[in-house]
Amino acid sequence: MEDECADYQQCEMSALAAIYADSSEFAYTTDKDSGLFSGSIAVEVDTSVCESLVNAATRVDSGIEAIDWSSVKYLPPIQLSFSLPAPYPLVDAPQISLSCCWLSAEALECIAERMTEIWHIEQGMCVLDSYVNMLRYDILTMDTIKIDITAVQDVVAYNASRRHELFELQTFTCLICMEQQSGKHCVELACSHVHCVECLRGYWSMLIDEGSVWLVQCPFPGCQVAKADDLSQVLSPEQVQRYTMLSDQRRVDMDSSHFAWCPREGCGKWGARDTSNNKLCICPCGYAFCVCCRRVWHGTSYCAIDSRIKVMEEYRRALEDGVGLAELERQYGKDVLVGMLEKEEAEGESAKFIAAMSQACPTC
C-alpha cells in the first residue's frame, strides 16, 4: 500500500508541476530520509469571487470606503501549505495549513473544516487540486468569508502590482502613433486611455518646455484627464517639478482672489489668502503681508497712502464707472477716501477763489 500511495503522490506532484509550469505559485520538496512530499500553493481567488467580496465589504464596513476599491480585481493569494503523510491518499488526509493577509483566523479555520469535508467525500483520491478549486471558486459559500478591513493597504498594493503585471503581457495600439506596442512600453492613464511611453513623454515634454502646462493632459480627443501619478510614470522628476512650478504660477496669476505672491525679495513663493480676513496672506516662508499694499501685515488698520494724487484719481474713476470701488474702500477706508475727496474739492474751490479775487504782488 505504501508503494501505491507513493505512486499517487508522485503523480499528483507531477500534475501540479505541469499545471504551474510557468508560475512560481507552486513549489514542493522531497524529504531525503523519508521520501515524503511537502510544499505550498499560492491560490488567487477568481475575479468574480473577488468582485463579490469587495462589494460585500463596502456594504458592511463603512471604514473601507476610505479606500478606492472600484479598480480592485485581484486579491492577494491564499497560501496553502501541505505535507503528505505516507498513507495519503488511501488512508490519511494531507496535513495542511492556511495563511492569507485579508482573511481572519476564523475564516481560515472555516476553510480548513471545508477541506476536511472534501477529504471525507473524496477519500482514496488525491485532493490537493480539489482544495485549490474550492479556494479559487467556492469560498463564497461560507458565511464567515469576508475581507478583513485591517488588510486594505495590502490588498490595494497587490491589486496594483497584479494589474501592472498583466498589463505588461498585453499588446495595445498607441493612440498617438497608432502602432502596436507591448504593454511594457505603454502606460495606462487614469482615464483608461493607453499610449506608448515614448510618444507621451515627447508630447508632454514639449508642452512643459514651452510653458503650456494647461495642455498637459491625455491626448485622446475630448479627454482632459492628467493626474500627478500619470505624470510621474512618464516624465523625469525634473520635468514633474517644472510642471508643478508652472502650474502653481498659473493658478496664482489666474486666481488672485484666493492666492498672492510673496512680496519679499528673493522669496518667489505664494500663499493662500486668509479666509477670515481676505487682505491677509501668510507665505510659507513665514512672512505675513497685506495683499493690497504689499507691505508687512498691519492688522485691521487701513493701508497707508503713498500717493494721494494717484489714489484720488483712481477713486474718482471708480466713482464714475463703479469698477474697483469696493476694493479701494476696503483698502483705504470709505470714510478716509470721502474725507480726502471733500478736502481736495475744498482746496480746489479755495484755489479758484484766490485766482479770481486776488492779484499777485508785482514786486515780490
Side-chain angles (χ1 to χ4, degrees):
M1 185 181 70
E2 288 187 4
D3 291 342
E4 186 178 1
C5 288
D7 290 340
Y8 274 124
Q9 293 180 20
Q10 183 63 58
C11 289
E12 186 172 31
M13 293 300 102
S14 299
L16 290 172
I19 294 173
Y20 296 99
D22 299 325
S23 172
S24 60
E25 297 173 359
F26 169 69
Y28 75 96
T29 59
T30 306
D31 186 87
K32 294 181 179 180
D33 298 328
S34 64
L36 299 179
F37 295 101
S38 61
S40 64
I41 308 173
V43 184
E44 189 178 89
V45 299
D46 187 66
T47 53
S48 62
V49 175
C50 172
E51 183 179 358
S52 298
L53 287 169
V54 168
N55 291 338
T58 53
R59 286 196 304 268
V60 175
D61 295 317
S62 58
I64 213 168
E65 295 174 358
I67 303 295
D68 179 17
W69 286 71
S70 59
S71 61
V72 174
K73 303 295 181 186
Y74 307 98
L75 291 171
I78 302 171
Q79 198 71 24
L80 168 63
S81 299
F82 62 87
S83 178
L84 305 182
Y88 168 82
L90 298 180
V91 178
D92 290 347
Q95 298 173 3
I96 62 167
S97 64
L98 298 167
S99 63
C100 181
C101 65
W102 53 271
L103 285 173
S104 65
E106 180 187 6
L108 293 175
E109 184 178 349
C110 182
I111 293 174
E113 291 175 357
R114 178 62 62 86
M115 289 180 172
T116 301
E117 294 175 4
I118 293 175
W119 160 251
H120 287 306
I121 294 173
E122 300 183 9
Q123 183 174 358
M125 296 185 292
C126 297
V127 295
L128 290 181
D129 188 55
S130 297
Y131 289 175
V132 169
N133 287 331
M134 186 270 290
L135 291 174
R136 181 165 286 134
Y137 302 108
D138 296 333
I139 60 173
L140 284 179
T141 58
M142 290 170 273
D143 296 336
T144 58
I145 303 301
K146 66 176 183 178
I147 296 175
D148 186 351
I149 190 173
T150 61
V152 291
Q153 297 293 348
D154 293 333
V155 170
V156 172
Y158 177 82
N159 177 73
S161 174
R162 184 69 170 136
R163 286 173 66 92
H164 180 71
E165 178 185 340
L166 295 176
F167 179 83
E168 289 189 342
L169 297 176
Q170 300 178 62
T171 301
F172 302 91
T173 300
C174 173
L175 298 177
I176 300 176
C177 65
M178 301 307 294
E179 294 184 1
Q180 291 286 319
Q181 299 284 357
S182 166
K184 292 183 178 180
H185 304 113
C186 294
V187 60
E188 182 180 16
L189 303 183
C191 55
S192 299
H193 293 132
V194 177
H195 311 276
C196 69
V197 174
E198 185 177 353
C199 289
L200 195 58
R201 181 182 293 122
Y203 175 59
W204 281 355
S205 297
M206 177 191 69
L207 294 175
I208 293 173
D209 291 341
E210 293 176 349
S212 304
V213 291
W214 63 92
L215 296 177
V216 177
Q217 55 196 23
C218 175
F220 186 80
C223 185
Q224 298 181 345
V225 174
K227 294 188 176 181
D229 290 343
D230 293 336
L231 299 177
S232 61
Q233 291 186 79
V234 177
L235 302 174
S236 67
E238 293 75 18
Q239 288 174 314
V240 174
Q241 184 178 11
R242 174 173 168 80
Y243 169 83
T244 303
M245 179 191 68
L246 294 176
S247 297
D248 288 344
Q249 289 180 358
R250 186 169 184 268
R251 178 172 58 168
V252 175
D253 292 339
M254 294 186 66
D255 191 3
S256 59
S257 63
H258 292 92
F259 307 100
W261 290 106
C262 179
R264 284 182 76 182
E265 185 176 352
C267 177
K269 297 179 181 178
W270 57 272
R273 296 173 71 160
D274 191 83
T275 54
S276 59
N277 190 331
N278 201 240
K279 290 174 64 176
L280 170 63
C281 184
I282 302 177
C283 177
C285 72
Y287 184 65
F289 61 94
C290 173
V291 297
C292 297
C293 64
R294 313 291 291 168
R295 290 188 175 94
V296 66
W297 178 239
H298 46 71
T300 57
S301 303
Y302 293 119
C303 300
I305 297 176
D306 291 328
S307 173
R308 179 181 174 186
I309 296 175
K310 181 181 178 181
V311 171
M312 283 296 96
E313 289 177 352
E314 293 178 355
Y315 189 51
R316 284 195 181 91
R317 190 161 50 247
L319 287 172
E320 292 176 0
D321 54 29
V323 179
L325 179 61
E327 184 69 20
L328 284 171
E329 291 179 345
R330 186 171 65 89
Q331 180 176 355
Y332 300 110
K334 182 177 181 180
D335 293 340
V336 174
L337 293 173
V338 171
M340 288 174 59
L341 185 60
E342 291 175 349
K343 182 178 180 181
E344 189 173 276
E345 290 175 349
E347 290 174 351
E349 292 296 326
S350 297
K352 289 179 183 179
F353 177 81
I354 292 172
M357 303 302 292
S358 63
Q359 185 175 349
C361 176
T363 59
C364 63

